[in-house]
Amino acid sequence: MPVNIACIGGGLRFEALSDVIRLMPDRFRVVAVCEPDAHRSALAAQRWPEARIVSDVEALLPADEIDAALVLTPDFSHSSVATTLLRHRISVFIDKPLATSIKEADEILRASLSSGALVYVGHNMRFMPVIEEMKKLIDSGAIGRPLTFWIRHFIGRGGDYFFKDWHACNTLTGGLLIHKASHDLDALAYMTGAQFTAVSAIASRQVYHQCERRDPSLPQPPIVQSVDHWPPRSQRDIHPYADAYDSAIMSLQCVGGMIGTYMQCHFTPDYWRNFCIIGDAGRIENFGDSSGNGDIRVWNQRRAGYDAQPDVVVPLGTDPLDGRTHDGADQRMLEDFYLSLTTHQQPRTNVMDARMCIAAGELALKSIDTGGHYDLAYPPELKQ
């Protein structure tokens, strides 16, 4: 029987997941959409003509006909929206990241504990073929026990997507080391079981803060990703109050002694993620990260020097759901959410890992500002 859901937010993520939900009529029925913008709410009504369209979350309540809600609003509103729904015992799917600060993440967790309603964090990278395959190899013992890592996120669309709208403002995202890095750190936690204990970071504003900024009195232009926007310093219409860093490096310590680094750069010419994980019996690394485009390589025999030929190569084959959003990961994620709601199986995503990624990003930004090294900690009542 389908689960009745409300969609909170009518933006790009709503559009993408609406397309997926249409493929799952036996799993979900959209009965309500909440969107304050008149144009977007009109589009939502066209997409889901049988759904109730409202402009405010409070207008949904009480909501006896709603079993769960998808929180697809901008990051800075996740906490207020989710806690309102949880207090009415409505389970929530929160699009990643969980929140924009440790305080807001903990408010969500406390509301969930109080109500007994489920919080499912939409970390869809756990369902991407490249992450699934790397986890299988690590779990098989291909590199032994993971001990160190390097994560490089080449964000070739940075000037198009993240420095022209609200993403460019640290007060609205908690910083791009939350908005972007939380996805990669969560994927690492899934693949290796990493639990972060301490962080330090450095960052810079090297390119986009030198570009032409939009006059604050002018409306935001449409955000368009274009290979013609090159070189990066040719970008225009940068957010007038942008203060996000366009290049950053985090150093992380983990339970059990594993250490590693995460780097993101928003002015590279390409867009993909590279995970390099070294254990006490080998190294694993992906080259390319999308279905049918790249492979995963393992070196687990001793060499005398450089050797481009790995011992194991696993091609990133074409996924059965290839062509759908995020290589089919969104559909697999929503299937997992459905089963978590209806059979009470343990979700593949993990709310405490998601909270840990928020803490790492927030304290990394603090480290950048102060030059300090900070320990992560959990309130005892939230430990599971």
Side-chain angles (χ1 to χ4, degrees):
M1 178 179 296
V3 170
N4 289 340
I5 59 172
C7 295
I8 316 300
L12 292 177
R13 200 68 181 120
F14 164 74
E15 293 175 9
L17 291 188
S18 287
D19 291 341
V20 177
I21 291 168
R22 288 193 184 282
L23 302 172
M24 310 173 72
D26 59 330
R27 296 304 198 223
F28 299 105
R29 179 187 298 113
V30 177
V31 298
V33 178
C34 176
E35 170 53 56
D37 180 81
H39 176 67
R40 285 181 172 176
S41 63
L43 293 176
Q46 293 176 16
R47 280 180 175 270
W48 302 105
E50 297 179 1
R52 181 159 56 108
I53 309 296
V54 300
S55 60
D56 182 81
V57 173
E58 296 290 346
L60 290 174
L61 307 170
D64 294 337
E65 81 281 14
I66 297 174
D67 300 314
L70 306 186
V71 179
L72 310 176
T73 57
D75 302 359
F76 53 83
S77 63
H78 285 182
S79 178
S80 61
V81 171
T83 53
T84 296
L85 295 166
L86 289 166
R87 288 178 187 130
H88 285 80
R89 293 181 170 79
I90 297 174
S91 293
V92 293
F93 168 106
I94 303 176
D95 194 35
K96 76 285 179 200
L98 173 64
T100 60
S101 69
I102 299 170
K103 177 179 180 291
E104 291 179 349
D106 289 349
E107 287 173 353
I108 293 171
L109 295 178
R110 289 191 176 95
S112 175
L113 288 174
S114 176
S115 69
L118 172 70
V119 172
Y120 187 105
V121 188
H123 275 296
N124 56 6
M125 284 188 67
R126 294 191 177 211
F127 299 86
M128 291 181 180
V130 62
I131 301 302
E132 291 181 322
E133 290 298 328
M134 291 186 77
K135 178 175 171 57
K136 287 178 187 176
L137 287 163
I138 293 169
D139 288 348
S140 75
I143 63 168
R145 178 188 170 201
L147 293 176
T148 193
F149 60 88
W150 291 269
I151 304 172
R152 299 182 298 170
H153 193 178
F154 307 106
I155 308 173
R157 64 184 65 165
D160 292 314
Y161 279 11
F162 302 112
F163 286 84
K164 296 183 180 179
D165 66 1
W166 58 270
H167 294 93
C169 302
N170 287 336
T171 55
L172 299 180
T173 63
L176 293 174
L177 287 177
I178 287 180
H179 181 78
K180 295 298 287 178
S182 62
H183 314 333
D184 306 284
L185 297 182
D186 181 77
L188 180 82
Y190 178 59
M191 291 189 287
T192 67
Q195 298 180 41
F196 307 115
T197 59
V199 62
S200 60
I202 56 175
S204 64
R205 301 180 177 103
Q206 295 176 303
V207 172
Y208 297 119
H209 293 271
Q210 315 304 319
C211 296
E212 180 181 311
R213 297 199 177 208
R214 185 172 69 252
D215 188 302
S217 66
L218 298 177
Q220 177 185 303
I223 303 298
V224 178
Q225 181 183 345
S226 172
V227 296
D228 295 328
H229 294 169
W230 193 259
R233 290 187 189 276
S234 68
Q235 287 279 8
R236 304 178 56 161
D237 293 316
I238 298 301
H239 194 287
Y241 306 116
D243 63 350
Y245 295 100
D246 54 18
S247 183
I249 302 172
M250 303 168 65
S251 296
L252 295 142
Q253 295 177 336
C254 307
V255 171
M258 183 163 68
I259 62 172
T261 61
Y262 166 86
M263 177 179 182
Q264 68 175 222
C265 180
H266 288 262
F267 47 86
T268 68
D270 47 354
Y271 186 89
W272 64 293
R273 293 170 162 98
N274 170 259
F275 293 87
C276 176
I277 302 167
I278 303 175
D280 55 13
R283 172 165 67 91
I284 186 170
E285 189 168 356
N286 66 295
F287 293 81
D289 62 0
S290 57
S291 179
N293 184 22
D295 54 44
I296 299 164
R297 306 175 195 177
V298 176
W299 289 261
N300 53 16
Q301 300 296 319
R302 180 73 184 271
R303 265 87 166 156
Y306 172 73
D307 185 355
Q309 182 60 44
D311 298 294
V312 178
V313 179
V314 178
L316 293 176
T318 302
D319 188 86
L321 299 179
D322 186 34
R324 301 177 189 176
T325 57
H326 295 105
D327 286 341
D330 283 342
Q331 185 166 342
R332 285 188 290 273
M333 176 179 62
L334 287 179
E335 174 69 18
D336 188 63
F337 177 52
Y338 172 80
L339 293 175
S340 301
L341 289 169
T342 58
T343 70
H344 305 292
Q345 75 169 25
Q346 190 71 21
R348 181 182 295 189
T349 67
N350 184 296
V351 70
M352 293 305 289
D353 284 349
R355 191 266 187 198
M356 176 175 61
C357 293
I358 300 301
E362 178 178 326
L363 295 176
L365 190 62
K366 184 177 180 181
S367 173
I368 292 166
D369 293 339
T370 65
H373 174 95
Y374 296 94
D375 294 330
L376 279 66
Y378 298 103
E381 71 274 14
L382 295 181
K383 288 186 177 180
Q384 298 179 349

